[in-house]
Amino acid sequence: MKKPVFDRKIEDIGLETGTSRLTPEKIQETIQNVLASETGAKLKVYHDTCVRCGLCSKACHYYVSHDGDPTYSPVGKVVQTMAVMIDKKGKVDADFIYRAAQIAYTECNLCRRCIHYCPLGIDTGYIMSMVRRICHKLGVTPQYIQDTAHSHSATMNQMWVKDDEWIDSLLWQEEEARDEFPDMRIPLDKEGADIMYSVIAPEPKFRTHLIYQAGAIMHEAGADWTMPTLHGWDNSDMAMFSGDFEIMGRLKRDHFERAQKLKVNRIVMGECGHAFRSVYDQGNRWLGWADYPVEVVHSVEYFADLLRTGKIKMAQKVKGPITIQDPCNIIRGRGLMEDLRYVAHAIADEVIEMTPSLEHNYCCAAGGGVINCGPPFKNVRVNGNKAKADQLRRVKEQGVDLCLCPCHNCHGGLEDIIHSNELGIDLKFIGDIIYANMVKTKAVEE
Amino acid sequence: MFNEIYELVTGPLAWIGWGIFLLGSVYKLASLWSLAKKKDTSSIYYTKAKFGLRSIAQWSLPFGTLGWRETPSVTVVTFVFHICLILVPIFLSAHVILWEEWFGVSIPALPNHVADVMTLLVIAGGTFFAWRRFSVPEVAFVTSGHDWFVLGVVVAPFLTGFLAYHQIFNYEVMIVLHVITGIAWLALIPFTRLSHMLVSWYSRAYIGSEFQGVRHCKDW
């Protein structure tokens, strides 16, 4: 059988400029250094024991969506990247690095669905993130995600939000919200508050209403909360995905230290998946913490608690069936599926599950930094997730017009898939629905 | 001539084979453990027996996991292949005699016709895997010479043993080949992909612990 070849190079100025600066010596030295100093028995065991059975293939939405093209299977991606780097002891050329970067950054979402398929427990997501680490160290990263990493480095937030713009956004949303809730405040830097509420930088940048809504819910629930005015307010972490683990560590330290300086009991974070991954899984470990030093509560857990304890009551439920997108980093990553179901049933009349669902759900193909690689790779993730389109189409046929989607990346990814496939499904954050339909005891009479 | 060769392969060569297997396995495990302690401390930290055993148990059930359910033919063949692969060399009546002779250990033997069928199942399983390596695109794409070599090494002692037992072709040649390939099979375990036999218990336990313990989610 003739083996298929990788023939889908996409032009990206970051990858092009990065590879143009490489020399064979630099490539070899960098690969050898990363392998020797940052990897160990785990990668060696994965490399030595993978029996190339191909069972992981069907786990991957890229493979499924490309009609079984083996170059998209998890093990297929490993044999085109890390396996060669190890076997050839780093003696690979710049074209190889370009290809490896394109595969690792844009054709794997690090969603870890393939773990459910590998009898030997091989973590392909880890292998791909180490490929990214090597590419990062070689300076070969897609331009857009590198820009977010630069932003993290310079501003400690993902979107070049300046300090005054951040505070302005909060004050602006407070002012807007006070038309509806006359006594509402977004308490800034309140020392000793119960909760520090943290968000990702896209919220002040282009989804500002989410801050309004969160404020309204906190206000209605009578929460003792605060938002920081200084850096550390952004819980997002694209450096984790670009392979810049040093910046990842700085970001997480800053986020936790901000909470510690404010002497809060816990951090509640907005509806974001990857930021959650970076606090319980990767960022904390880089800093040497087994878990997080300040308790972090994801919005899904927080909303479930508010609804369970009756601090928030729904005035009405969503009519008609809704479905749920289970984001990898909070479900497969942190087991919040029951809380998410509790919330979904509390805010909607009927929930129709996608197939597969829960921890077996397909990724949105935007996560793991893929959507952050920007427009050059948009088609990669949209065409690479026909599996998701099929999943959504099946629930659409059962009458679903609304998908609950508690993750920013999933929103971005699903929005494009829904649009491209003309599926006609609305996407909502939990906060959107709770804010719109909750009992508002503290609002002005209409 | 045959007797001398037979004595050689079942004597010194067999001891060398066993020695390489045992010492090689100890070396492999010890070196990996020492490397893990140096470089993968967080992985060791999160690995817990409770979650690891739970994961191993679940993956030991045919169709007990999403992966096993997705490709039923591979699941069935994998289980049958591995069970026969382990049981036949240990409990074959001819080998039971050798255990007694060499190590003074007495264990029950499989009835010959059962062992014969099990041997055929290993050969059939190996043929199935070979077919997959040729014909199933996602397997063919990732198959290298190493994979063919390992498959050959694994199946060869069963094929030669079967031919020798049934005295097909030349018995003397077959039995010598059987012993040699059997020894190679053992000796290569620590140094090829066959090392999954030694270490994948731990990688399974580790990822099971990551999922159940840290990610609060099942890994099957």
Side-chain angles (χ1 to χ4, degrees):
Chain A
M1 173 180 276
K2 193 171 173 292
K3 293 197 175 184
V5 289
F6 183 96
D7 57 357
R8 47 180 183 270
K9 184 172 175 177
I10 288 176
E11 287 179 12
D12 177 272
I13 193 167
L15 298 180
E16 279 157 10
T17 314
T19 44
S20 73
R21 293 179 185 138
L22 296 177
T23 60
E25 296 74 32
K26 185 179 176 187
I27 294 173
Q28 189 175 10
E29 194 190 333
T30 306
I31 292 176
Q32 294 290 61
N33 276 345
V34 172
L35 291 180
S37 63
E38 298 187 35
T39 73
K42 181 153 70 172
L43 185 64
K44 187 169 169 47
V45 165
Y46 292 162
H47 181 67
D48 288 352
T49 63
C50 172
V51 293
R52 307 288 194 257
C53 66
L55 283 181
C56 54
S57 307
K58 290 179 184 170
C60 183
H61 45 282
Y62 284 102
Y63 170 87
V64 173
S65 302
H66 286 284
D67 304 322
D69 180 339
T71 61
Y72 285 102
S73 80
V75 61
K77 289 176 241 189
V78 173
V79 301
Q80 292 172 94
T81 56
M82 183 57 90
V84 181
M85 293 180 185
I86 295 174
D87 287 341
K88 292 195 171 172
K89 299 188 167 50
K91 280 186 195 156
V92 293
D93 60 21
D95 283 346
F96 175 90
I97 295 296
Y98 195 111
R99 204 160 58 234
Q102 189 177 325
I103 290 171
Y105 283 112
T106 74
E107 296 174 4
C108 173
N109 298 97
L110 312 180
C111 77
R112 299 197 181 105
R113 189 168 190 265
C114 41
I115 295 286
H116 297 292
Y117 284 70
C118 178
L120 303 179
I122 293 171
D123 185 352
T124 306
Y126 166 76
I127 300 174
M128 285 297 122
S129 71
M130 290 320 292
V131 175
R132 292 183 183 194
R133 174 70 171 160
I134 288 169
C135 293
H136 155 73
K137 287 210 151 187
L138 286 168
V140 181
T141 46
Q143 185 195 33
Y144 274 77
I145 194 168
Q146 187 56 52
D147 180 68
T148 62
H150 285 327
S151 170
H152 276 309
S153 173
T155 67
M156 301 306 278
N157 73 72
Q158 191 198 125
M159 297 241 140
W160 301 103
V161 178
K162 292 177 189 150
D163 288 351
D164 59 333
E165 291 173 347
W166 163 244
I167 298 168
D168 273 354
S169 300
L170 297 181
L171 294 177
W172 166 41
Q173 288 310 304
E174 180 184 76
E175 195 177 324
E176 291 277 318
R178 281 170 74 93
D179 285 345
E180 187 180 4
F181 300 92
D183 301 326
M184 198 200 102
R185 300 297 308 269
I186 294 181
L188 301 180
D189 292 336
K190 181 182 170 190
E191 210 175 278
D194 178 33
I195 293 166
M196 177 178 104
Y197 185 63
S198 68
V199 297
I200 65 170
E203 294 205 16
K205 197 81 178 180
F206 57 82
R207 282 176 178 157
T208 327
H209 66 286
L210 294 178
I211 296 173
Y212 175 128
Q213 290 173 180
I217 295 168
M218 293 279 188
H219 180 61
E220 188 60 45
D224 175 17
W225 69 299
T226 187
M227 291 183 86
T229 57
L230 292 172
H231 53 87
W233 57 264
D234 179 9
N235 53 35
S236 75
D237 192 349
M238 273 307 128
M240 168 176 71
F241 289 145
S242 77
D244 194 341
F245 297 157
E246 288 78 8
I247 301 284
M248 169 179 79
R250 277 178 62 207
L251 294 172
K252 288 307 104 177
R253 186 188 296 281
D254 197 37
H255 184 228
F256 287 128
E257 285 185 352
R258 183 56 57 204
Q260 287 170 328
K261 279 175 191 153
L262 290 173
K263 300 186 175 69
V264 295
N265 296 325
R266 56 198 171 130
I267 298 167
V268 171
M269 61 174 13
E271 294 176 59
C272 177
H274 91 276
F276 203 38
R277 178 186 185 126
S278 78
V279 297
Y280 69 72
D281 191 331
Q282 288 187 250
N284 57 326
R285 293 184 194 189
W286 180 264
L287 293 169
W289 287 313
D291 212 330
Y292 25 66
V294 178
E295 188 191 357
V296 183
V297 179
H298 191 272
S299 272
V300 167
E301 297 172 278
Y302 185 63
F303 290 145
D305 182 56
L306 293 182
L307 290 163
R308 275 196 192 104
T309 54
K311 287 178 184 155
I312 289 288
K313 293 187 177 69
M314 300 307 292
Q316 56 180 343
K317 288 187 169 191
V318 176
K319 306 278 177 258
I322 67 166
T323 193
I324 302 171
Q325 160 70 2
D326 287 298
C328 308
N329 287 321
I330 67 170
I331 304 298
R332 191 175 305 113
R334 201 57 163 177
L336 301 187
M337 52 284 250
E338 279 175 31
D339 280 342
L340 181 52
R341 259 96 206 134
Y342 180 84
V343 170
H345 285 277
I347 62 178
D349 277 338
E350 188 188 353
V351 177
I352 294 182
E353 292 283 353
M354 282 201 242
T355 315
S357 66
L358 306 166
E359 68 272 25
H360 293 158
N361 185 34
Y362 281 120
C363 172
C364 61
V370 174
I371 195 169
N372 307 76
C373 292
F377 301 98
K378 183 180 172 185
N379 292 336
V380 173
R381 58 184 169 81
V382 174
N383 299 336
N385 211 353
K386 291 191 189 114
K388 179 59 70 184
D390 291 343
Q391 231 184 338
L392 288 165
R393 196 174 289 113
R394 285 195 292 272
V395 287
K396 175 73 181 176
E397 284 163 5
Q398 295 173 67
V400 168
D401 291 322
L402 193 155
C403 176
L404 197 59
C405 188
C407 168
H408 282 273
N409 272 337
C410 290
H411 257 260
L414 261 58
E415 203 167 85
D416 292 332
I417 290 167
I418 288 168
H419 181 73
S420 160
N421 291 276
E422 298 177 354
L423 295 172
I425 295 175
D426 267 346
L427 287 169
K428 294 283 184 199
F429 287 101
I430 298 170
D432 291 331
I433 297 177
I434 291 184
Y435 162 73
N437 295 344
M438 69 182 178
V439 176
K440 294 174 180 171
T441 59
K442 297 173 184 173
V444 288
E445 301 277 326
E446 286 196 9
Chain B
M1 179 67 181
F2 166 71
N3 282 342
E4 280 149 23
I5 295 175
Y6 185 79
E7 289 300 323
L8 177 73
V9 296
T10 56
L13 201 62
W15 285 110
I16 291 170
W18 274 99
I20 295 174
F21 165 60
L22 292 172
L23 293 176
S25 298
V26 169
Y27 168 76
K28 177 95 184 174
L29 292 171
S31 62
L32 281 173
W33 184 246
S34 131
L35 184 59
K37 279 206 296 190
K38 220 162 112 191
K39 292 288 177 191
D40 305 281
T41 38
S42 74
S43 304
I44 296 174
Y45 175 83
Y46 291 108
T47 307
K48 301 281 184 283
K50 178 174 80 167
F51 301 130
L53 291 171
R54 178 79 185 81
S55 178
I56 290 168
Q58 192 70 31
W59 281 88
S60 301
L61 285 175
F63 307 106
T65 69
L66 184 61
W68 286 142
R69 286 192 292 277
E70 191 80 54
T71 320
S73 57
V74 176
T75 305
V76 170
V77 175
T78 300
F79 274 88
V80 170
F81 180 81
H82 282 88
I83 290 166
C84 296
L85 190 74
I86 294 161
L87 294 184
V88 172
I90 299 174
F91 297 106
L92 183 83
S93 61
H95 290 187
V96 166
I97 295 168
L98 292 176
W99 293 124
E100 176 86 52
E101 210 172 278
W102 290 349
F103 303 105
V105 184
S106 175
I107 54 168
L110 285 167
N112 280 341
H113 62 279
V114 174
D116 214 29
V117 171
M118 289 170 82
T119 302
L120 280 174
L121 287 172
V122 172
I123 297 167
T127 311
F128 175 79
F129 292 137
W131 168 78
R132 275 176 63 81
R133 295 216 175 281
F134 264 124
S135 313
V136 177
E138 69 265 26
V139 188
F141 180 66
V142 296
T143 296
S144 66
H146 181 100
D147 302 294
W148 284 110
F149 173 68
V150 165
L151 186 60
V153 165
V154 170
V155 176
F158 291 85
L159 187 62
T160 50
F162 182 83
L163 296 175
Y165 176 70
H166 290 279
Q167 312 222 345
I168 303 169
F169 303 125
N170 184 319
Y171 171 78
E172 292 181 349
V173 172
M174 277 306 149
I175 195 69
V176 168
L177 282 178
H178 173 68
V179 178
I180 291 173
T181 53
I183 292 166
W185 186 86
L186 269 182
L188 286 167
I189 285 173
F191 309 107
T192 60
R193 293 216 172 107
L194 296 176
S195 61
H196 70 264
M197 177 191 132
L198 300 171
V199 295
S200 291
W201 306 98
Y202 197 87
S203 51
R204 180 81 263 154
Y206 159 66
I207 206 72
S209 303
E210 281 275 15
F211 266 59
Q212 297 163 63
V214 179
R215 298 176 191 147
H216 308 156
C217 168
K218 56 191 189 191
D219 61 305
W220 52 87

